[in-house]
């Protein structure tokens, strides 16, 4: 595994940790999600370009499209939570408890 | 012989003419009433011709006019049966209708729709004559339904009154229940004897099973107000007095009994039906006599008296004596119609007062009506040698000397004595004692349109029994020997009733009336029969139908069974299986730790 790949993988791991261990804001989770998507995109592009795997040239672009949609939905949910509670604290999301 | 056919058909046709005239201008003026009355008079005179010819030659006739239709093997024609029963009944019915029409010209004088009243009475008479002269069951059914409809229209003559509408509806419903039996018999006869003609039915079924006769008995019970289907007759007194006199005393209510008389060749072979008719008639006559004892409305007492006499007729049919029953029908028609006319005279003269507790002392004021009322009551109770004696005494004699049910006989005798009791009640409360009505009453009975009908029916009440029973050909060998105590039974119980009633009536002269125990409520509330049957059973049926339709079908099967149950199960399952508390950070952290741990463990196995 070359150094570049390890670098990007560490970036992915850091974003994942940030997603799963955020403190109080939902926004930080969404940002880390975007970071994960971005690092995945860079990793995929580098691998495909260095192995000349032309058939998979479309894959990173499609991944980016879906990441954009997902970011839009995430932001919509954030706006709804913010409209209901005023802030986007995660500890407010406990309506489904029983 | 030529005159027989033509005069019979002329009688029937003459009566249709005033009905057809009713679409012209003639209907609107005052002469129409006289026209209808005179037509009925002429029809009566014309019908005397076939009657006297029959008495002279004892030849019956069957007129079969017009072939209507043939459906496969069933041939329906317009046919008239002129035998003893129809030929004797037609003049009697026409005579009584003539008298009642003349009376109603006085009684309904101030009614704006009096022409329509006469038209209805005439249509009733026509349908009754169709019933009486019918030779096949279809024509009889036409007449049967026709008298039912006219009864409905005439009872609800004053339709602004709720009680009148209720009574008319009650009459229709009870008659309909009887019609079920009639249709059952018609279907049975069609199925088994392939015809509705009476001659073929009598030829083909000498020993019929009980079913068609049961249907006919049910039809008679519905039309003639036997026990179980009787409440419509006292309620039918909501109609005007001429209606009560014509329909519900002389003509319509005997239609059921007449039907059973027509079928006497079949009933004389079936012992079960005879016993059933005997018991039903005995029960009816006693029950309605008990109810008549404590009524306060004069028309209701006479209505219950009619019902009691109808029970007596049914009992006589149960003793296998159809000709005696027919004699009782004819004689009963005379004095019962006269009793109703006298009560109409009293009611109108006292300014529409029908409660006998508010009448009294009319003995000196209305001498003619008093005479007629007293003679009518005596004829009703079977005073020797008045009209009622010839039929009623013969019935009691036949009952006591035939091999029959002792219980039915006992009931009949008790009812006979009660007849005397309630007749005395009528006479005492309306005619004797001091007046109990307000003093300023305009009482007169000088109008000839009131006096002449009552006079004619009075002569009929005295002599008709003698004349009719002498013109009756003997059908059985008369009983030649009878013990003296059996011969005097009817007279004894009647006299007993009279004495008892006079004794009790003197109690009412005391100022403080000693109220008896609660068992009098049985009689005043008509044996609790209307209370139970008219309230309880509809309530039960409607509650049950509400439970079935709304609760069972709509709410349970369509709503709760699938949709709401599914929703409920999902809800309960989700609350059971998920125990989320909304701790998102904890869930994420545990996910991270699991992932790291698994990656470490699977990459570095040693």
């Amino acid at each position: 595994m070359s150094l570049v790949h390890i670098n990007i993988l560490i970036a992915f791991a850091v974003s994942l940790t940030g997603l799963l261990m955020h403190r109080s804001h939902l926004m930080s989770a969404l940002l880390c999600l975007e970071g994960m998507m971005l690092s995945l995109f860079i990793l995929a592009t580098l691998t495909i370009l260095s192995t000349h795997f032309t058939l998979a040239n479309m894959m990173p672009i499609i991944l980016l499209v879906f990441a954009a949609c997902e970011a839009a939905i995430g932001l919509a949910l954030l706006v709804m939570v913010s409209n209901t509670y005023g802030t986007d604290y995660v500890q407010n999301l406990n309506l489904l408890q029983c | 012989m030529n005159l027989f056919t033509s005069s019979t058909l002329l009688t029937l046709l003459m009566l249709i003419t005033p009905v057809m005239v009713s679409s012209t201008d003639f209907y609107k003026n005052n002469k129409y009433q006289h026209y209808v009355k005179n037509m009925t008079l002429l029809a009566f005179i014309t019908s005397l011709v076939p009657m006297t010819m029959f008495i002279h030659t004892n030849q019956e006739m069957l007129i079969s006019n017009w072939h209507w239709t043939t459906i496969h093997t069933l041939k329906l024609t317009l046919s008239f049966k002129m035998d003893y029963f129809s030929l004797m009944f037609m003049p009697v019915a026409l005579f009584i209708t003539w008298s009642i029409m003349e009376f109603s010209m006085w009684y309904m004088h101030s009614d704006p729709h009096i022409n329509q009243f006469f038209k209805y009475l005439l249509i009733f008479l026509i349908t009754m004559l169709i019933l009486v002269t019918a030779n096949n069951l279809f024509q009889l059914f036409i007449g049967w339904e026709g008298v039912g409809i006219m009864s409905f229209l005439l009872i609800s003559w004053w339709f602004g009154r709720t009680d009148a509408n209720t009574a008319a509806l009650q009459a229709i419903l009870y008659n309909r229940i009887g019609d079920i039996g009639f249709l059952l018999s018609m279907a049975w006869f069609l199925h088994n004897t392939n015809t509705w003609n009476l001659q073929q039915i009598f030829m083909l079924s000498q020993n019929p099973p009980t079913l068609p006769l049961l249907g006919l008995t049910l039809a008679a019970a519905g039309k003639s107000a036997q026990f179980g289907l009787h409440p419509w007759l006292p309620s039918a007194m909501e109609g005007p007095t001429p209606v009560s006199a014509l329909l519900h005393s002389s003509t319509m209510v005997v239609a059921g009994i007449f039907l059973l008389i027509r079928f006497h060749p079949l009933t004389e072979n079936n012992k079960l039906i005879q016993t059933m008719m005997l018991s039903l008639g005995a029960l009816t006559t006693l029950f309605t006599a008990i109810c008549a004892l404590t009524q306060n409305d004069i028309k209701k007492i006479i209505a219950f008296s009619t019902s009691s006499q109808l029970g007596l007729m049914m009992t006589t049919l149960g003793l296998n004596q159809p000709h005696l029953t027919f004699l009782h029908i004819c004689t009963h028609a005379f004095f019962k119609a006269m009793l109703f006319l006298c009560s109409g005279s009293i009611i109108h003269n006292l300014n529409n007062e029908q409660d006998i507790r508010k009448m009294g002392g009319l003995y000196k004021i209305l001498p003619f009506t008093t005479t007629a009322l007293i003679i009518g009551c005596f004829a009703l109770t079977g005073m020797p040698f008045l009209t009622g004696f010839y039929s009623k005494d013969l019935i009691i004699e036949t009952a006591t000397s035939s091999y029959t049910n002792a219980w039915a006989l006992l009931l009949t005798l008790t009812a006979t004595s009660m007849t005397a009791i309630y007749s005395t009640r009528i006479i005492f409360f309306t005619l004797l004692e001091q007046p109990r009505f307000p003093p300023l009453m305009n009482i007169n009975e000088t109008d000839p349109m009131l006096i002449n009908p009552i006079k004619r029916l009075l002569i009929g009440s005295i002599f008709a029994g003698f004349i009719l029973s002498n013109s009756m050909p003997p059908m059985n060998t008369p009983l030649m020997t009878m013990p003296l105590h059996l011969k005097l039974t009817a007279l004894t119980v009647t006299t007993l009733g009279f004495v008892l009633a006079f004794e009790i009536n003197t109690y009412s002269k005391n100022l403080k009336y000693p109220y008896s125990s609660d068992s009098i409520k049985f009689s005043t509330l008509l044996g609790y029969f209307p209370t139970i049957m008219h309230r309880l059973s509809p309530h039960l049926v409607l509650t049950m139908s509400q439970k079935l339709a709304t609760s069972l079908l709509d709410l349970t099967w369509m709503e709760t069974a699938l949709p709401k149950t599914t929703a409920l199960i999902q809800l309960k399952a989700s609350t059971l299986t998920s125990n989320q508390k909304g701790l998102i950070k904890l869930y994420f952290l545990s996910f991270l730790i699991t992932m790291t741990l698994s990656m470490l463990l699977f990459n570095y196995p040693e």
Side-chain angles (χ1 to χ4, degrees):
Chain A
M1 190 109 35
S2 67
L3 203 60
V4 182
H5 291 152
I6 293 180
N7 195 356
I8 305 296
L9 276 174
I10 289 177
F12 178 79
V14 166
S15 295
L16 180 66
T17 316
L19 173 65
L20 296 180
M21 284 176 63
H22 58 273
R23 287 287 291 269
S24 40
H25 284 275
L26 194 62
M27 191 66 187
S28 57
L30 292 177
L31 282 171
C32 290
L33 202 59
E34 292 306 306
M36 282 168 66
M37 286 298 134
L38 190 62
S39 59
L40 273 178
F41 173 75
I42 301 291
L43 188 64
T45 314
L46 282 178
T47 314
I48 289 168
L49 282 176
S50 63
T51 54
H52 296 288
F53 186 21
T54 325
L55 205 55
N57 270 346
M58 285 296 293
M59 183 266 205
I61 301 178
I62 296 176
L63 182 68
L64 209 58
V65 166
F66 282 112
C69 295
E70 171 199 328
I73 295 176
L75 277 178
L77 285 175
L78 183 77
V79 167
M80 279 205 64
V81 169
S82 172
N83 275 344
T84 318
Y85 291 104
T87 56
D88 63 345
Y89 287 168
V90 172
Q91 60 252 32
N92 288 335
L93 301 178
N94 57 359
L95 280 183
L96 279 182
Q97 69 182 353
C98 51
Chain B
M1 219 55 208
N2 283 336
L3 218 46
F4 203 114
T5 338
S6 43
S7 43
T8 315
L9 290 178
L10 189 62
T11 315
L12 293 171
L13 277 174
M14 248 198 289
L15 294 170
I16 299 185
T17 327
V19 181
M20 295 193 311
V21 156
S22 68
S23 57
T24 67
D25 246 353
F26 187 56
Y27 184 51
K28 309 268 189 321
N29 67 3
N30 261 350
K31 295 267 182 56
Y32 186 72
Q33 317 160 20
H34 293 267
Y35 177 54
V36 171
K37 176 184 73 94
N38 287 333
M39 272 309 195
T40 319
L41 169 63
L42 291 175
F44 164 65
I45 296 177
T46 319
S47 71
L48 283 177
V49 172
M51 179 179 95
T52 46
M53 284 176 78
F54 175 77
I55 294 176
H56 182 61
T57 61
N58 198 19
Q59 275 190 339
E60 304 181 348
M61 176 170 280
L62 167 63
I63 307 172
S64 186
N65 270 349
W66 173 55
H67 173 208
W68 180 40
T69 175
T70 306
I71 303 176
H72 291 296
T73 51
L74 174 69
K75 183 171 180 219
L76 288 175
T77 64
L78 179 69
S79 58
F80 299 98
K81 183 177 162 87
M82 298 286 128
D83 67 340
Y84 169 67
F85 300 124
S86 52
L87 279 175
M88 299 299 259
F89 190 76
M90 267 174 60
V92 169
L94 283 166
F95 180 75
I96 294 181
T97 312
W98 168 42
S99 304
I100 291 179
M101 280 185 179
E102 193 168 347
F103 173 79
S104 59
M105 282 164 66
W106 173 77
Y107 192 82
M108 310 286 290
H109 179 71
S110 55
D111 196 312
H113 298 291
I114 187 172
N115 289 338
Q116 193 182 16
F117 186 76
F118 272 82
K119 187 170 79 159
Y120 282 175
L121 281 184
L122 198 61
I123 297 179
F124 167 78
L125 182 64
I126 295 170
T127 46
M128 186 71 204
L129 289 180
I130 291 177
L131 198 158
V132 163
T133 56
N135 190 31
N136 54 356
L137 278 178
F138 190 71
Q139 203 169 326
L140 214 152
F141 193 63
I142 294 177
W144 187 272
E145 291 294 297
V147 298
I149 294 286
M150 295 326 291
S151 166
F152 171 76
L153 287 174
L154 281 170
I155 295 176
S156 60
W157 178 254
W158 291 312
F159 50 79
R161 199 179 137 84
T162 324
D163 282 340
N165 289 331
T166 316
L169 205 58
Q170 211 174 335
I172 286 285
L173 288 176
Y174 276 114
N175 278 344
R176 254 301 173 242
I177 299 179
D179 288 349
I180 298 176
F182 198 103
L183 288 171
L184 171 69
S185 327
M186 274 173 89
W188 192 92
F189 283 126
L190 184 59
H191 189 66
N192 287 63
T193 56
N194 190 29
T195 180
W196 281 332
N197 275 326
L198 293 182
Q199 278 78 24
Q200 195 170 334
I201 292 176
F202 295 157
M203 252 187 343
L204 287 178
S205 51
Q206 293 293 333
N207 287 317
T210 323
L211 187 63
L213 295 173
L214 256 180
L216 290 175
T217 315
L218 179 63
K223 191 66 99 178
S224 298
Q226 301 298 310
F227 181 73
L229 298 174
H230 66 277
W232 69 270
L233 190 54
S235 309
M237 297 296 124
E238 294 286 332
T241 309
V243 170
S244 307
L246 185 57
L247 271 74
H248 304 120
S249 64
S250 326
T251 3
M252 183 185 122
V253 291
V254 299
I257 305 285
F258 196 84
L259 179 72
L260 285 177
I261 291 179
R262 268 271 190 255
F263 276 85
H264 74 90
L266 296 185
T267 60
E268 69 189 4
N269 290 329
N270 195 331
K271 280 278 176 256
L272 177 65
I273 287 292
Q274 284 178 13
T275 316
M276 188 174 292
M277 288 198 288
L278 187 72
S279 318
L280 185 63
L283 186 61
T284 308
T285 180
L286 185 66
F287 181 76
T288 49
I290 291 179
C291 290
L293 291 178
T294 53
Q295 298 300 311
N296 291 321
D297 185 352
I298 188 174
K299 284 177 73 172
K300 282 215 163 50
I301 300 182
I302 307 182
F304 276 114
S305 163
T306 308
S307 202
S308 182
Q309 296 300 308
L310 288 170
L312 190 67
M313 290 175 204
M314 185 69 106
T315 313
T316 321
L317 279 173
L319 292 172
N320 200 12
Q321 300 285 337
H323 300 274
L324 197 53
T325 317
F326 180 72
L327 183 66
H328 194 60
I329 288 181
C330 293
T331 53
H332 168 260
F334 278 105
F335 50 77
K336 196 47 70 75
M338 188 177 72
L339 278 177
F340 267 113
L341 294 196
C342 293
S343 72
S345 156
I346 295 177
I347 290 173
H348 237 33
N349 274 321
L350 291 182
N351 200 15
N352 295 332
E353 180 60 62
Q354 285 186 311
D355 197 335
I356 56 174
R357 297 173 290 193
K358 292 170 82 171
M359 305 175 187
L362 294 173
Y363 185 72
K364 294 281 174 65
I365 311 175
L366 294 173
F368 186 72
T369 311
T370 313
T371 320
L373 195 68
I374 292 183
I375 292 187
C377 282
F378 281 168
L380 174 63
T381 57
M383 172 76 63
F385 306 114
L386 289 180
T387 305
F389 169 76
Y390 288 97
S391 49
K392 198 162 177 192
D393 203 62
L394 274 181
I395 293 175
I396 304 287
E397 274 178 27
T398 318
T400 49
S401 54
S402 59
Y403 180 64
T404 179
N405 200 336
W407 170 81
L409 176 62
L410 202 61
L411 258 55
T412 317
L413 287 176
T414 321
T416 313
S417 74
M418 287 191 179
T419 311
I421 299 180
Y422 60 70
S423 301
T424 322
R425 185 182 158 92
I426 294 180
I427 295 177
F428 185 77
F429 275 91
T430 55
L431 303 175
L432 303 176
E433 297 298 300
Q434 303 296 318
R436 291 183 291 274
F437 47 87
L440 289 179
M441 283 291 179
N442 189 8
I443 299 183
N444 68 335
E445 48 178 18
T446 52
D447 198 344
M449 283 201 286
L450 167 66
I451 297 295
N452 285 339
I454 301 186
K455 202 188 296 183
R456 282 195 292 269
L457 287 177
L458 191 60
I459 297 176
S461 295
I462 302 177
F463 293 113
F466 180 68
I467 297 174
L468 281 172
S469 62
N470 274 349
S471 66
M472 185 171 90
M475 292 294 163
N476 326 327
T477 48
L479 201 54
M480 295 298 176
T481 62
M482 204 182 298
L484 187 66
H485 64 273
L486 285 186
K487 186 87 182 164
L488 294 178
T489 318
L491 198 57
T492 320
V493 293
T494 311
T495 320
L496 206 68
F498 270 126
V499 166
L500 191 65
F502 268 116
E503 186 64 36
I504 295 179
N505 277 334
T506 54
Y507 288 173
S508 65
K509 285 194 193 161
N510 303 331
L511 280 177
K512 182 168 189 306
Y513 187 69
Y515 277 102
S516 51
S517 62
D518 275 346
S519 50
I520 201 178
K521 288 188 188 160
F522 181 80
S523 180
T524 30
L525 288 178
L526 313 184
Y528 308 114
F529 190 91
T531 320
I532 297 177
M533 293 300 287
H534 293 171
R535 306 271 165 112
L536 189 65
S537 17
H539 177 74
L540 285 177
V541 169
L542 287 175
T543 332
M544 181 190 75
S545 71
Q546 186 197 24
K547 282 195 174 13
L548 275 181
T550 310
S551 309
L552 190 59
L553 277 181
D554 273 348
L555 289 180
T556 313
W557 275 117
M558 300 224 190
E559 258 185 56
T560 319
L562 278 184
K564 286 208 176 142
T565 313
T566 317
L568 194 67
I569 290 179
Q570 299 299 329
L571 204 62
K572 283 275 182 259
S574 68
T575 52
L576 271 180
T577 58
S578 62
N579 47 359
Q580 293 199 5
K581 290 187 176 38
L583 308 169
I584 297 184
K585 287 200 281 183
L586 190 64
Y587 303 148
F588 277 166
L589 192 60
S590 60
F591 181 65
L592 181 66
I593 293 180
T594 315
M595 284 271 294
T596 323
L597 213 57
S598 65
M599 278 206 296
L600 283 175
L601 278 177
F602 288 132
N603 277 335
Y604 298 104
E606 62 271 13

